[in-house]
Amino acid sequence: MIGMLYARMRRFLRRILTRPRIDLPLAMGLLALATVGLVTLYSAGGGDLGLVGGQAARFVLGAALLLLISRIPPTVLRSWTPWLYAGSTALLVVVALLGEGRGADRWLDLGFMRFQPSELLKLTMPMMAAWYLHPRQLPPSWKDMAVVGLLIAIPGGLIAKQPDLGTALLVAAAGAFALFLSGVAWWRIGLLLGIAAGMVPVGWHFMHQYQRDRVLTLLNPEADPLGNGWHIIQSQIAVGSGGVFGKGWTHGTQSRLDFLPEHTTDFIFAVFSEEFGLVGVVCLLALYAFIIGRCLWIAMEARDTYSRLLAGAIAMSFFVYVFVNGGMIAGMLPVVGVPLPFVSYGGTSAVSLLSGFGVLMSIHANRKMHD
Amino acid sequence: MKRRRALKDPRGEAALFQRRSLVGFALIVLGLIALSGRFFYLQVMRHDEFVTRSENNRVKPKVIPPARGLIYDRNGVLLADNVPAFRLEVVPEQVPDMSAMLAQIGAVVPLDPDDVADFRKRLKQSRRFENVPLKMHLSEDDIARFAINRWRFPGVDVVPYLTRHYPYGELFAHVIGYVGRIDADDLKRLDPDRYQGTSHVGRSGIERSYEDVLHGTPGYELVEVNADGRTQRVLETHAPVPGKNLYLSIDVRIQKATMAAFDGRAGSAVAIDPRNGQVLAMVSVPSFDPNLFVNGISSADYKALTTAPDKPLYNRALRGVYPPGSTVKPFLALGGLAYGVRRPEDTVLSTGEFCLPGASRCYRDDKRGGDGVVDMVKAIEKSTNTYFYKLALDLGIDRLSDWMGRFGFGRKTGIDLDGEENGVLPSRDWKMAHSRQPWYPGETIIAGIGQGYWAVTPLQLAHAVSILAGKGIPRAPRLVMATQDGVDAPRQPLPNPPTGPSLVTDPAHLDVIKQGMEAVVTSGTGAKQFIGFPLVVAGKSGTAERFSRTSSAYDTNKNTAYLAARHRAWFEAFAPADDPKISVVAMLEAGAWGAEAAGPIVRTVMESWLATQGGAPVKSQPPAAAPAPLAPDQPEDMPVPAEGGTTP
C-alpha cells in the first residue's frame, strides 16, 4: 500500500521535473513583465539591490510553484477544489478569531512567516465557482446563480470584515467572472447590476469612516492636502509630470524625494509613469492586454467547462488588478490596497499570481485537440 | 412550460463560452483604453501643470500649530497663558543616521530616556516632512551648548514654541487642570491631522474637558527648500485658527479668599450663583502646582505628589465622597411638605431617643435629653434628629430617595469637568445592586440624618443647595461662562438653561425651609458664625462620622482635636435669604463640629463675594480666635450610628 503510494508519488514528481508543459507566449509575456517589474523596483527603491534581489527570489519561488502546478491535470485540480476552498475559507475564520495586524486583522503568524489567507481565495474562489458550475446545465439557473453567489459571499464577507476591501473585491470579482463566463443571460446581469447600484447607499452605511474619507477625498483631494489627499495629489503629480516620454529611468523626482508614499508597493505604477511616460504606460498596458488575451485564448481552447471557467476567471481578475491599481494612481478610483501585478514589491501577491498562471499552464497542456 | 435537457450540450457551451470570452476581452480592452485615456489626460493635457507642481515639490508644506485658547476668570484675569519657550526639533529626512545622532546629542543637551522613547514613537507616526520635537522647554544652558555644537547635527534645530503657563499655580490646579506632552496613548485617540505640530494636550480639568474648544485648527505655510532641505523662503501662508479663549465664571478674588480660609486643612468648598448655575469658586485643599506637569514632571516631584499623605492631586470637590450628615435635613423637610406627610406646624417630642415602634433598638438625639417639642422650623434650627428619624420613616425610603434624587444626589451634576463621582443616594435598588440585600427600616431612619449609605461630593451638595436657593429650579453647575474667538472679539456667553421645571410646587413650602435655615444662622447651630454679617443668611451645618463607631454611647471625650479626627465638618448656606445670589458649601475632612469648623469658611467666601459686588468688606467676627477647646454650649448636630457600630 505504502509502496504503491510512494511509486505513484515518484512517477508524479518525475513527470513534473522531466517534461515542461509551458505555454511559450504566456511565459514570455510573464518574463517580460517580471523584468519590467524588477527594473522599475530598482528605481523606485532608490537603487536598493537587496530589494530587487528579494523580489527576484520571490519570482523564482513563484516560478517553481508555477511549474509544479502546471503538472497537475485540471481533472485532479477539480477533484481537490472543494477541499481547497473549504480549507482556505476555514483559515479566514481562524484569522477572524485570532488574526493579528495593526488595525486590520489579516495576518496569521506561523512563527517563521506571516501569511495572509485571503490571498489563497484569489485562486480557490474561481476554482470553486468553476467546480460548482462544471456539471450543471449552462447557462446557469437562478438557483445555481444563488449558490455561486453564496459561495462568493462567505469568504468575501470574511475578508471585507478584516477589513480589506481591496482583496474582498478581487475575490468576489473572480467568482463573479466565472459566473459571467458561464453565460448568464444579459438581462439577468443587467438586473443584478441594477440591484447592486441600488445597494450602494446601503454599502456606504456599512463602510468604515476611513474608507468613506478615501472616497470623499477622491472627489476633492485638494481639500485635505496634508492628510488623505496627499497620496492622490502626489501620485497624480508623478504621473502628470512624466509627460509623453517620461523623465527617464531612475530620474523620477517624485519618488526620489519621497513625495510619493508607498512608492515601492501600491504606488509603484506612478513611479513607472513618471519615468517612462505615456509611451511606457501604453506599452505596459499593452503587455498586460497581451497576457490577458493569451489567457482567454487558453480558456477558449480548454477541454471542459471547469477548465474554461477557471482560466477565464483568472484572466479577467488579472485585469481587475491592473485596472484598479492604475485607476487608483491616476486618481480615478479610491485608494485601496491593490498591488500592480509583478511590478509592486511584495511576496504574497507575486507567488499567488504565479500559482494562478500555473493553473493556466496546466489547462493549456490539457487542452482539447482541435477538430 | 419547463424546458429541461437531460444531457449537457458541450458544443453549445463551448460556443457560449467563446462568445462570452470575446465580449469579456472587448470589455477589458475598453477598460484599458479608458485607463490609457486617463493617463493621456494627465500626461499630455495637464502635463505642464503637473511639471510645475512637481518642480514646486521643492516647496514643502510646513504645519503651523494653532495657539491654544487662553483662560480667564469672569473679570478677564488671565488664568492660563501661553509663554514662549524653546525646544529641540528634528527633521527626520535630513538626519543620515538617527541612532548615531541620538547617541551623540545626549552629551550636548541632556536627554531623559522618556524624551527619547517619546521621540521614537512620534517619529514612526509623523510624515516625512514633519519636524519632530525631541526635548521640550530647553534651559538657557541647553540652548547655548547646542548653539556651539549645531554644525555637528544637521537636521536638528532649536525652535521657539508657545508653552502653557498657569500664573496662579496651585490656586486653580483642580479647576483648570493642566496640559501635558502628547504621549503614545494620546496619539491613538487624537485626530492626527488636527494635532499636526501640536505638542501638548489638555490632561485634566477645564484644559481637558474643553480640549476641542481650546485647541484650534492648524494652518500651514508652503516653504521653498533647497537641496539640503533648508528653508529658503515662505511662499504661501495659511494661518492657523487659534483655539477659543474661555471665560470662567470663577472670580479670582473669591477663589483666593476661599483657598486661604482653609489654612491648609484638607477639604473643599464650592460656591455657585443659584440664578444661573455659574460656579463662583471651587477649591480643593491641598493643591499642587500645575506648571510642574506642562513640560514633563520630574520623577522626584511626581513621587512627592503621589505619596503625600493628604493627596494633593485628589480633587475633593469633584471626586471626594463623604456622608453629608445633617446638611440633608432641609431637603428632607421640603420633601415632607411636598409629599404632604408633614405640615410645618406638626410637632415631635424629642426626648433624646427615638425607638422604632415594637423594636428595642433606639436612635439617639445628639443632645442628651432632647430638644423638647419641636416643629419643622425648630427642628431644622436645632438639627433635631428625632424629628427627621420620624419624617424619614413616614416618607419611606422610596419617596425619600426619589425626592433627594431630584436634587441631583447619587449622580453626576453634569458640571463641565470630566471625572465627577456619582456618590451614593441610598435606595432599595442601590442596596440590592450593591450588596444583594433587602432594605431595612432602620436604614431609612439613619438616612433621615444623612448617615448610613449616603455619600455626596461637595460639588453635589453645592448643586443641591443652589437648586434650593434658586427657587427649586434645577440647573447644572457651569465653570465656563463664555467663549471668545480672539482677544478683541466679543465674548459669546454659553447659555445654561434649567434642566427641568422647578421642584417646588408651593412657594410657601420653600419659605418654611428658609425660615428654619435662617434660624440656624440667627439662633441655631450656626449662630456664632455670622454675627455682624450684613446679609440675611440661610444655612445648615452638618457633622458626619468618618469612622463607624463601636458603641452607641454618647461621646464623653469632648476634646476638639479628638473629635476633629473623627468627624467631617460641613456647612451649607445661601444669601441673601430672600433673594439668593450665592450659595456655598464648605467641607473639612477633619473638623470637630460642622458649624464651628466649616461655618467660618462659608462666611469668608460670602464676604469675599460681597466685596466683589461692591459691598463693603466685612470684618470677620469669629466667636473666638482659635477653635474652642471644648464642645460649645449649643449642641451641634452630631452623627448617630444605627445600632452601635453597623454604620458602613
Side-chain angles (χ1 to χ4, degrees), chain B residues 69-268:
Chain B
L70 303 175
I71 303 176
Y72 300 97
D73 90 335
R74 66 185 303 124
N75 301 308
V77 178
L78 195 56
L79 305 180
D81 193 7
N82 296 324
V83 297
F86 291 90
R87 67 184 177 203
L88 213 52
E89 273 188 6
V90 178
V91 187
E93 62 182 339
Q94 290 169 37
V95 179
D97 184 346
M98 191 64 77
S99 301
M101 188 279 287
L102 286 174
Q104 287 165 22
I105 202 160
V108 178
V109 180
L111 295 177
D112 270 342
D114 286 354
D115 288 333
V116 179
D118 282 351
F119 172 74
R120 286 194 185 277
K121 272 177 202 146
R122 283 224 91 163
L123 198 59
K124 283 197 195 115
Q125 302 258 345
S126 65
R127 294 188 172 85
R128 295 286 302 174
F129 50 78
E130 243 182 14
N131 298 0
V132 183
L134 176 57
K135 184 185 167 130
M136 314 298 291
H137 214 87
L138 299 174
S139 67
E140 301 251 329
D141 199 34
D142 291 337
I143 296 170
R145 268 208 305 259
F146 181 77
I148 303 167
N149 289 282
R150 184 169 182 267
W151 59 274
R152 288 170 53 200
F153 302 105
V156 184
D157 234 332
V158 168
V159 178
Y161 73 109
L162 288 176
T163 189
R164 207 60 155 171
H165 177 67
Y166 303 103
Y168 284 92
E170 63 173 21
L171 188 57
F172 284 97
H174 287 298
V175 176
I176 292 177
Y178 50 84
V179 296
R181 277 196 72 176
I182 291 176
D183 63 22
D185 288 341
D186 299 319
L187 287 176
K188 276 180 209 146
R189 71 184 164 91
L190 297 174
D191 175 355
D193 290 341
R194 254 195 93 191
Y195 278 80
Q196 279 183 69
T198 302
S199 53
H200 288 75
V201 67
R203 269 290 140 67
S204 70
I206 291 287
E207 292 275 29
R208 184 185 175 105
S209 57
Y210 281 86
E211 175 64 25
D212 282 350
V213 182
L214 287 165
H215 180 261
T217 311
Y220 61 96
E221 56 187 15
L222 297 175
V223 294
E224 195 180 59
V225 291
N226 65 8
D228 299 333
R230 293 234 181 261
T231 301
Q232 303 295 298
R233 62 196 171 105
V234 176
L235 300 175
E236 242 180 85
T237 305
H238 299 260
V241 181
K244 290 186 180 190
N245 298 333
L246 298 182
Y247 283 86
L248 302 193
S249 51
I250 287 186
D251 188 310
V252 167
R253 294 166 291 181
I254 306 176
Q255 181 86 354
K256 228 180 212 167
T258 309
M259 186 80 138
F262 276 88
D263 196 22
R265 292 169 295 173
S268 167

Side-chain angles (χ1 to χ4, degrees), chain A residues 134 136-137 180 183-184 226 233-234 239-241 243 247 254 258-259 273 278 285 293 300 305 308 330, chain B residues 5 8 13 17-18 20 23 25 28 31 35-36 38-40 42-43 47 50 53-54 57 61 127-128:
Chain A
H134 172 78
R136 304 273 182 306
Q137 185 82 56
F180 168 79
V184 173
L226 297 177
I233 292 172
Q234 294 303 331
V239 172
S241 65
K247 295 178 184 170
Q254 281 292 104
D258 278 346
F259 290 107
S273 315
L278 185 62
L285 292 181
M300 284 192 271
T305 306
R308 271 200 291 271
Chain B
R5 280 172 296 179
K8 276 170 72 80
E13 276 181 19
F17 179 82
Q18 226 159 54
R20 274 300 154 95
V23 172
F25 189 65
I28 286 171
L35 203 55
S36 307
R38 174 73 184 181
F39 277 91
F40 179 81
L42 291 177
Q43 298 190 305
H47 175 59
F50 283 119
R53 288 184 67 174
S54 120
N57 257 344
R127 294 188 172 85
R128 295 286 302 174

Side-chain angles (χ1 to χ4, degrees), chain A residues 260-271:
Chain A
L260 199 58
E262 291 158 58
H263 49 260
T264 60
T265 54
D266 288 353
F267 282 88
I268 197 167
F269 200 3
V271 178

Side-chain angles (χ1 to χ4, degrees), chain A residues 6-18:
Chain A
Y6 178 69
R8 276 183 64 182
M9 254 172 76
R10 271 189 51 178
R11 268 207 310 281
F12 179 68
L13 277 174
R14 195 164 49 225
R15 271 217 318 262
I16 289 176
L17 297 175
T18 49

